[in-house]
Structures are given as structure tokens and as C-alpha cells.
Amino acid sequence: MDSIQPQEFLVLLPEIVLATAGMLLLLSGALKSSNGYRICSAVSLAALVGTAVLLVTVQGVPETPRVILSGMFIVDGYAFFWKLLFLMAAALTVVLSDRFLSDGGYRPAEFYSLILLATTGMLFMASGHSLLSIWISLELMALSSYILAGFFKHERKSNEAALKYFILGALSSGILVYGISLLYGATGTVQLDLLASTLPSAMSLDAGYRLAAAGWLLLAMGLFFKVAAVPFHVWTPDVYEGAPTPVTVFLATASKAASFAILVRIFYQGLPYLRPDWQWVTAGIAVITMIWGNLAALTQSNVKRMLAYSSVAHAGYVLMGVLAATEDGLWSVLFYLFAYTFITIGTFGTVILLERKEYAGETYDDYAGLAQRSPFLAAMMLVFMLALTGIPPTGGFFGKIYLFAAAVEAGWIWVAVVGVLTSAISLFYYIGIAVQMYLKDSSDDTPSALHAPGLVGTIALCAVVTVLLGILPGPLVQFAKSSLGGLL
Amino acid sequence: MFDWVLQVPILSIVCYLPLLGALAVMFLFKKEQGEGVRKFATAIAFLDFLISLPLWFVFERDGELFQFRESHSWIETLGVRYEFGVDGIALLLVLLTTLLGVLAFLSSWSAIRVREKEYYVFMLLLQTGMLGVFMAMDFFLFYVFWEVMLVPMYFLIGIWGGPRRLYAAIKFFLYTLVGSVLMLLGILALYFYNAGGLLDMEGLGNPRTFSITQFHDIASQIPAELQFWVFLAFFVGFAIKVPMFPFHTWLPDAHVEAPTAGSVILAGVLLKMGTYGFVRFSLPILPVATWELLPWMAFLAIVGIIYGALVAMAQKDMKKLVAYSSVSHLGFVMLGVFALNGPGLNGGILQMINHGLSTGALFLLVGVIYERRHTRMIAEYGGISAEMPLFATVFLIITMSSIGLPALNGFVGEFTILVGAFNRSWFWALMGAIGIVLGAAYMLWMYQRVFFGPLKNPENKGLSDLNRRELLYLVPVVVLCFWIGLYPKPFFRILEKPVSYIVEIVESNRPEPGQHADMGSIHRISEHGGD
């Protein structure tokens, strides 16, 4: 094992800065009983932007992937892409939570510090090059998320969400780490590249085969839990519904993207030898996820639950790109999650704006006549719903087309056909919101609160990005493609 | 005089002007400025029509098949190009769209008084979507516009429609969406089949393309089995749109519930997208499957003609009657198209335009009287020709055009279709002729019940006749009906080249008599091609 050079820590500067900022915020919350949410949010925004700047300047995209810290940490284009996405999602979450926290009367310092710490975990996840470092950073993200989900501690739903999330999360974490230990037992390593090179010989032995097979299956189960694929998705609707909506945004975008990031990295860099196996498993999971997620979303009467099930369905679409195991499949995954992040933030941003109390804005009725009360908001929401369905010209359309195309070209035609048909189903429930907004009359005439400029600005930004990606997907495709160096 | 047209991306301008108009309405007008919005949007539609007009004059009848081409790289990874161009067929449909656009906007002035701003935004978006569908020369681009057009239509029916608008809107949307998803699968099947290496004729190593003309070129090389499945996928997409029996049930609902302008656009342009799809894609790209499935297509077309006419006859609601008459007329168009010969296709395409004009005008007229009396029930009227002489005259002309009286447009189309159908089979022609008779029966019967006889309903006394604005949007249609009826040559002239192009592809892939185009015989068929 190489010794660790002190200057290697310099590469970690972005992560270090973000973690420090998170802890300082936590500390300030402990020392001072009431600090303004404005200051906290400004500080966290500054920290996130600063981290992004450091990310570009210090880590950047190296010409060849660079593995440091005894194989724990890797700096490459793939990690860079994700980190940028996480930081953006976190920053937008911070903006979104503005009004929410000021209205709720909860102390903001803890909230923001947890967001920053969870983001730190994600940054490490993206750069994880050893199953151990990946698992530890995953836990940092997960533990912060559990608390965030239960942040409204006086709300029963929020408590319930946190508890469910925690129990199931801990279980999945156990499964994951058990899988890691079995793989270690079979190969004697947890480092991804060594795992890839030793797995063939380890699996040639009978005992090693059983150990490794059980190991990767458990590992895969843990990962599928994290991305909320059926049948490991059961936590999603309750947590999405119960968590404070800004937290839901965070879970649905950054956290989900981070989970996909490690799933792809582990499968591609650590288990290429098992590709046929995990392709089949992923195909099966993808198909039932798309079918079940869409059908379940169809029957929901609560908007947040509907969005939760729809996010399950979307995980199924993304898995289609994962299982393709081609370059096209991979960059499609990156493209899709990027677009999906903005679409989802926009969607939930609208939900937040409609929330008058903490848990309003959730029934379909709350959207009735929105086009009359606030045409701007309704138009934005319409764009997001069309994007989620995959109707052009939106980023969601191209995201899906790329994924379907990649699956077909890799020979998984039946999976793509299921994808196309289930996304036709998805129209039923997305259009349900449009029906409410445009075709129904409002029960009350109070114009929607648009006096939250940060929130409105975020929603508008997301809508612009969504449409832009639907007209000019080229640049993002280029970026995603160039981020793949060394992964395949 | 119109040379500037060739210097600018004229098709893009025509296509996106309404979109720009929609954005302008969205951001520049307030909710309360109904009148301003109305005038502005109509001005945009009119301007769009004016800009599209030179296309007719500059288009070279003997020139390239597709003209005013614009081609830019769009999504390189998939080989998607931003490609616009029109042949004679598309050109006529583009002009029909811009013209009916103006009429529909004008007719909305008095009909739409709630949520005007949104209404005109959706109408303008719809224009852009429809124009794009006819201009796109890239499958992918075509699909994008096809989908884009769905959304505004859905809202137009759902917000400004009649009492059962929600039901009608959702039915419309689901039907057409299912159709377009299957169509997408068909497009992707062709795309991936081709990307498998078929179309690398230039040896560039990159056969990825969605270019429609390139698919025309390889039509004979696509295996019969694939053609069969893709044909079915396209069939569902297009047949729903046409609508062909038995996929027509959304249409009466949508028509009856939609506001007048919505019905005009729906009947005038939207339905043509289905028949256009058959003409542009199914025939020239999947000729083998076309031959294979020809009897079925003709059967469905004939059922549509007869069934639509019989149901129309039974209607008590004028708008419903016109809606079912569309099913019948579109069946006629399909019969002409699937005669697969020159006259049939010519007639079918011309009849698409005719139907757009006549039925569009019929909906406008029903809208006029509905605005005055708020009922469309035939029984509520009777003998109103004395009260509204001008209205009765225009209505009569359009009725005659719809049933195919000589000297009017419908006659030319129906006659040419019958010639084409007769060349294929006397039975087809017979059925078509029966359809014409039935059509005359229900239209004239309705006309008689509404306009003739003594004034039955005292409420109809003193109904005001057509006003100036109404004449403004009805007279052009009447003029066009006479023009096509008396001197159709320019229209057939512009169709000459594209029709012979399609007929040639289809003919060269015709199976030998008694031979079925199965997988084994596909090779032989392409060998015999062209003789």
C-alpha cells in the first residue's frame, strides 16, 4: 500500500471547505440560540458556490484519472460531473427552503449545516474508489438525510418519515456492508480496480464463487434500495410525503443522483467481470420498477406521493441506461439525471410555493384553477409535467429518447419497449395536474403567493433549463460524454 | 417579385412566427386586455398567411421535389437534423393551415370571451405545431411537432369547450397519445434497422439518420416483416388521427365539445395530419406492407364512408352531423390514397384540401348560428332562410361543395377519387358512389330542415344576418371553393410531381399477381422492381 502524501489532501480542498462550513454552521447554531435564516442561507450558498469554484480550479477534469489516498479517492471527469450537479442541486435546495424555514419557526442553522454535510458525503461518494470510502460517505449522506427528513419535529408525518427512512436505510446499509465484506472475503480487496482484476480468479474457485456471488448480489440490493428501485422502493412515498418539501427536493435530486453515481461506478469499475449478470438483474429490476412505479403513481391522490412513485418510475428509466453498459448508455444516464434534477426541483419548487401551511399544496385540489390565480406558476408547472412525461421540446424528452435508444442499441429492445409504453401511462397522472390547473375552477380566488423572489426565480430558472435542454441538448451531451473517461 | 423568399429561411419564419406571437401575448399583454390580445393574435395569423402566400408563386412545379429546404445539424449523437422542406402536397397543406388559421382566429372574436389571453396563446402554439408537422423532413423533428401540437389542442377543447369538455379533451388526448407512442416505436424501429448498416450508401460509416427522403430511398430494401409491423404501428398513429373506423369515436366528442375555432382547426387541419402521414410515410417507405394490407385499408375506408354517412344522417345536432360527415369524407380520402394510382392520390390529396375548406366553413357557419341562438339542434330551426338570406346562401354553397356539386371543389375531388378507385376495383368505386349519394342525402335533408319551410320557431324571428366580420372570413372560403371547382388545374399541377414520385415507389414494389410479400419473396420483389 502506498503511503499517503500530505499534498494529496490539497486535492480534497473542496470537500474540506464544505465540511468545515457545515460544521461551523452547526457550531454557530449551538452557540447562538437564534440566528437569522437569511444569514444561514447566505453562508451556505456562499460555501456551496465557493466549493464549486474550488472544484473547478483544484480538482477540475484531469487528463487521466488520478487515484489518491491509498486508492480511496479518485479524481476524474465522472466525479467532476456529479459533484457539479450535487452542488447545484444543493444550492437550489437552499434557495427553495428559504421561505419554508422562516414560516415554520424551526432553527435554520442545523438545517443548513445538515444540507452541507450531506452534500459533502455526496462529493466523497462521487469520488469514492474503494467500497469502504464509498460506504462511509454514503452513510454521511444518509444520516444527514434521516435527520433532515424528520426536521419538522413537531409534525407527526415528519417524524414518521424520518423513522421509516432510518430503519429501512439502516437495514439496507447493513445489507450493503455485508455484501462488501463478502466481496472482501472472496477477493481480499475493497478497492474498485483491484476488485475488478481479482474477481475473475477468485470466482474461478468454487468457494470464492459463492462468496463473491452472494457479495455482489447483496451489494446490488443495497444500491437498488438507495436509488429506490422496485421492490426496494417502499420507503420512498412515505418519506417523500412526510419530509419537509425542500428536503424531499434534496432527496429526489441530489441524493438520488449520488446513489446512481456510485451504482454506476461500482458496477462498471468494480464488477465489469460480472457484467452479464448485473445486466440481467438490472434489466429485471428496471422493468418491474417502470411498471410498478407508474401504476402506483396512477392511483395516488396526494401530489407528493404521486411524485414519489413517479420518481420510482424514473429510476427505472435510468436503470435502462445503466444496463446498456455502453458509452451511449452511460452518458444518457448522466444527461437524464442532470435534466431530471432541474425538472424535479422546479416541480417541488412549485409545490412549496403553493404550500400555505406546512403540509398544504399536496392534494390535487390545491392546484385547481391555478392557471387563473397565477398563470405564470401554472405555465411553469405545465412545462415540468410535460418534461416528466417526456413530451418535446423538453429536456425530459431527450433524456428518455437517449435512454431508450441506448437500450435498443445494446440489444435490450424489450426493456425499451416497456419503457416507451409505461411512459405513455405516466401521462395520465402528470396530465391530472394540468387538468386541475387549467380545466378546473379554483375553490378560492386568493392569488398565489408570488412574494418569494428566490423561489420564483429558481422555478423560472429550472423551467428555462428544462426547455433549453429540449431544444439544444448538444452541449450537455458533450459534457456528459467527456465525463466518462476511463469508466468503460 | 417574390425572390426574397429564396434568400431567407422562409419555412422557419412561417412556422415560428405564431410561436413568437404566443410568447409576445404571454409576456406583453395583461389578462384584462382581451381585445388587444384578440387583435394582435389575429394580426399575427394574418401576417403568417401573407408570408406563406409567396410560397405558392415561387414554388417551381417542375423543380426539385422538396423545395425551400433548410437543413442544419441538430442532435448529432442521434443523427437528427433540423430539416424543413415542402413538396406540392405539404405546400398545399401549409397554405391551408395558414389560411384556416386566419379564419379560425377571426371567428373566435365573438365566440371566446373568457380567458382570452390563454386562448390565443394556445391557438398560436397550435399553428406552429401543425405547420411544423407538414414542413418537417426529418422523422424526429416530425414527431416533435406532432407531439407539440397535441397539448394546445387538448387545452382548447378542455377549457373553452362545451359541457362535456373534460371528457372529450381527455379522450382526445389519450387516443392521440397512444397513437403517437406507437408511431414513435415504428419510427425507432426503422431508425435502428437502418442504423444497423443499411443506409450507409455513401460509406461514411454513419448510417444514423431520421431523414424521411433517405427512408424513401431504401423502401424496397426494408424486409417485408419489418414493414408489416412498422406499418401497423404507423397505422394506429395515423388512423386515429384521420380518424378511420373503428378509431373514430374520439372525433364526434371532440368536435361537439370544442369551441368553433377548435372544430375548424380540428377538421380543417388536424385530421389531415393522419392522411398526410399515410401519404408521406406509409406508402413510400413501406410499399410492400401497403400492398399486403391494401384490402384491409380499403375495407376500413369503405366502412368509414358508409358508416359515417349513416350515423350523420341520424344526428339531431348540426355540429355532430358535420363531425360524422368528416368520418365519411375522410374515408373517401383514404379510399383515394389507397387506390395507389395517380388519380386516386391526386383526388385524395385534393379532397384533403377540399374537406378542410368545406368542413371548416360548415363548422364556422354552425358556430355563427350557435352564437345567436345557443343551440345547434336542427329541430329548433326551420324556415330561417327568410330571416338570414345571406347566411342561407353561403350555407347552401358550402353544402353543395360538401356534397360534390359540379362547379364546386368537392366534385373535382370526389370525381378524381372515383376514377382512381375504379381503376383499382369497380366495387370500391361503387361503394364510394353510394357514399356520395348518402352524403347528399343527409346534407340536403339537414339544409331543408333548417332553412326551408315556414318559420317554425318564433324565437328565430329577426335573427341577424351575417355581419361584416363573418363575411370577411366566409367569403374567401367560398371563393376558393369555386376556384378549385372551376379551375383545379393549378392544384393538380402542383401535385403532379410528388404524386408520381409516390406512385412510382409504390408501383415498383408491387408484388407479382398471386404472390404474397413474405420474407422469402421480398428479394424477388425488389429485383422485379421498376418493370
Side-chain angles (χ1 to χ4, degrees), chain B residues 436-449:
Chain B
I436 295 179
V437 174
L438 289 174
Y442 64 76
M443 286 305 290
L444 289 177
W445 191 35
M446 171 184 77
Y447 190 82
Q448 184 232 326
R449 282 182 292 167

Side-chain angles (χ1 to χ4, degrees), chain B residues 172-184:
Chain B
F172 163 80
F173 204 80
L174 291 184
Y175 256 91
T176 38
L177 191 91
V178 168
S180 60
V181 166
L182 286 171
M183 187 175 86
L184 178 66

Side-chain angles (χ1 to χ4, degrees), chain A residues 337-359:
Chain A
L337 284 168
F338 188 96
Y340 181 74
T341 296
F342 279 93
I343 300 168
T344 309
I345 290 176
T347 310
F348 280 107
T350 318
V351 174
I352 291 175
L353 210 48
L354 285 178
E355 284 176 338
R356 303 217 183 82
K357 300 190 301 292
E358 270 139 31
Y359 287 104

Side-chain angles (χ1 to χ4, degrees), chain B residues 338-460:
Chain B
F338 279 90
L340 304 184
N341 51 31
L345 266 170
N346 269 319
I349 296 162
L350 187 67
Q351 196 62 5
M352 282 157 70
I353 308 294
N354 290 338
H355 177 263
L357 294 170
S358 312
T359 309
L362 277 176
F363 277 119
L364 288 171
L365 289 163
V366 175
V368 164
I369 197 164
Y370 179 76
E371 266 176 46
R372 289 171 176 50
R373 282 277 284 108
H374 294 283
T375 176
R376 293 184 300 252
M377 290 299 148
I378 296 172
E380 292 279 322
Y381 300 97
I384 62 170
S385 61
E387 306 296 324
M388 309 172 73
L390 221 49
F391 180 71
T393 316
V394 176
F395 208 121
L396 186 67
I397 296 171
I398 299 296
T399 303
M400 292 305 168
S401 133
S402 174
I403 65 181
L405 194 79
L408 281 160
N409 57 346
F411 173 74
V412 182
E414 288 182 350
F415 183 77
T416 330
I417 290 177
L418 279 186
V419 172
F422 196 82
N423 281 349
R424 184 66 54 209
S425 143
W426 63 268
F427 179 73
W428 292 21
L430 177 69
M431 288 294 135
I434 292 177
I436 295 179
V437 174
L438 289 174
Y442 64 76
M443 286 305 290
L444 289 177
W445 191 35
M446 171 184 77
Y447 190 82
Q448 184 232 326
R449 282 182 292 167
V450 172
F451 289 94
F452 292 153
L455 192 68
K456 272 199 330 213
N457 195 335
E459 278 182 65
N460 291 332

Side-chain angles (χ1 to χ4, degrees), chain B residues 104-154:
Chain B
F105 275 87
L106 271 178
S107 78
S108 312
W109 277 38
S110 51
I112 303 296
R113 279 299 157 98
V114 286
R115 300 168 78 176
E116 283 172 279
K117 187 178 153 185
E118 285 166 278
Y119 176 83
Y120 288 100
V121 168
F122 284 130
M123 284 290 280
L124 287 165
L125 287 178
L126 187 63
Q127 282 290 95
T128 291
M130 295 184 303
L131 289 167
V133 164
F134 295 129
M135 292 172 179
M137 288 184 62
D138 183 284
F139 249 137
F140 197 89
L141 191 62
F142 170 80
Y143 181 77
V144 168
F145 281 112
W146 181 280
E147 291 280 277
V148 162
M149 164 234 83
L150 276 185
V151 179
M153 195 65 220
Y154 169 77

